[in-house]
């Protein structure tokens, strides 16, 4: 069995956002409201942050999926900025450059012919223009075919950013439902019949013993 993934530093902010959301759910907010000083809430939050990796293991599978999608998106972004963009750029520029050059050579050669220029230059320019013309036409057809072939596939797949965001939201929801809320409820209310009282010291989440309340003595640390 694969070892659970440790929470990445860049995902700590998401973990804290899920923790904040969990502590504001109705049942936890009501239980924490019994402690007017807020010591129990502070302790519970600090404990959850310290146990972040253990809590996150409950949502390990969606977290692995999120990491995989995020890595793939980053690789794709790097490839778009890298040498892989050279060939598509050449495919677009080749018909433009060759077509423009062919037109310019044919126009210049024709003008020289009309001007009665002597020598082989006018004929050479016209011949070069007619040589470049089919190159421009052929490369244009190839580029058009490539665009028509790839366009349906690009429309069929959601953008990488949308995939990453969807995987992130799935992980956060699983972290909340399967990890954060059970952890907080378990440490806040170890027994269903007990309730947090304001005299609970900050280093414990258990209520004061009955004898301590009767004797009106402070809870021991």
């Amino acid at each position: 069995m694969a070892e659970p993934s440790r929470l990445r530093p860049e995902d700590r902010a998401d973990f804290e956002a899920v923790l904040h959301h969990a502590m504001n759910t109705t049942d936890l907010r009501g239980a924490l409201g019994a402690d007017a000083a807020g010591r129990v809430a502070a302790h519970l939050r600090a404990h959850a942050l310290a146990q972040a990796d253990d809590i996150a293991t409950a949502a390990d599978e969606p977290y692995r999926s999120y990491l995989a999608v995020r890595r793939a998106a980053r690789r794709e972004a790097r490839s778009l900025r890298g040498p892989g963009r050279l060939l598509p750029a050449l495919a677009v520029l080749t018909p433009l450059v060759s077509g423009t050059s062919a037109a310019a050579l044919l126009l210049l050669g024709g003008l020289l012919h009309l001007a009665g220029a002597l020598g082989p230059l006018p004929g050479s320019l016209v011949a070069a223009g007619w040589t470049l013309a089919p190159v421009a036409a052929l490369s244009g057809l190839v580029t058009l075919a490539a665009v028509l072939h790839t366009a349906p596939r690009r429309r069929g797949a959601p953008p990488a950013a949308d995939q990453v965001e969807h995987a992130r939201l799935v992980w956060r929801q699983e972290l909340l439902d399967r990890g954060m809320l059970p952890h907080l409820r378990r440490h806040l209310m170890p027994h269903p019949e007990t309730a947090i009282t304001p005299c609970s010291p900050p280093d414990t989440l258990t209520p004061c013993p009955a004898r301590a309340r009767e004797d009106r003595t402070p809870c021991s640390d």
Side-chain angles (χ1 to χ4, degrees):
M1 183 177 180
E3 189 172 333
S5 302
R6 293 184 62 84
L7 197 63
R8 302 298 194 272
E10 61 266 34
D11 298 322
R12 292 279 173 173
D14 276 328
F15 182 90
E16 293 185 24
V18 172
L19 172 60
H20 178 77
H21 179 72
M23 293 184 69
N24 280 279
T25 54
T26 303
D27 58 335
L28 291 176
R29 188 172 64 248
L32 293 171
D35 179 18
R39 292 178 300 173
V40 175
H43 175 86
L44 195 63
R45 176 181 174 83
H47 183 270
L49 292 175
Q51 300 295 320
D53 287 328
D54 291 337
I55 297 172
T57 57
D60 188 59
E61 184 176 346
Y63 186 52
R64 289 177 184 272
S65 299
Y66 171 45
L67 293 179
V69 172
R70 189 169 66 186
R71 282 194 298 266
R74 288 175 178 175
R75 285 196 300 268
E76 181 180 348
R78 285 194 297 268
S79 68
L80 291 177
R81 295 192 298 265
R85 296 292 291 172
L86 180 59
L87 290 179
L90 288 176
V92 174
L93 290 176
T94 299
L96 293 176
V97 172
S98 56
T100 303
S101 300
L105 291 173
L106 289 172
L107 178 61
L108 184 57
L111 290 176
L112 290 176
H113 271 299
L114 292 176
L118 301 177
L121 181 59
S124 299
L125 292 176
V126 172
W130 284 116
T131 301
L132 286 175
V135 174
L138 182 60
S139 58
L141 289 175
V142 171
T143 302
L144 179 61
V147 170
L148 294 177
H149 178 70
T150 57
R153 292 190 301 177
R154 287 187 177 274
R155 286 198 301 266
D162 290 349
Q163 291 180 330
V164 173
E165 183 62 17
H166 175 72
R168 172 174 169 267
L169 293 177
V170 169
W171 165 60
R172 285 183 49 150
Q173 188 64 47
E174 290 292 299
L175 176 63
L176 174 68
D177 295 338
R178 297 169 55 184
M180 192 68 72
L181 285 174
H183 176 88
L184 296 179
R185 288 165 179 160
R186 184 168 61 250
H187 286 79
L188 179 62
M189 294 173 285
H191 304 289
E193 67 274 8
T194 62
I196 298 298
T197 60
C199 67
S200 298
D203 57 345
T204 179
L205 293 180
T206 57
C208 296
R211 181 181 299 175
R213 292 197 301 268
E214 293 173 359
D215 297 340
R216 296 183 180 179
T217 56
C219 301
S220 58
D221 289 337

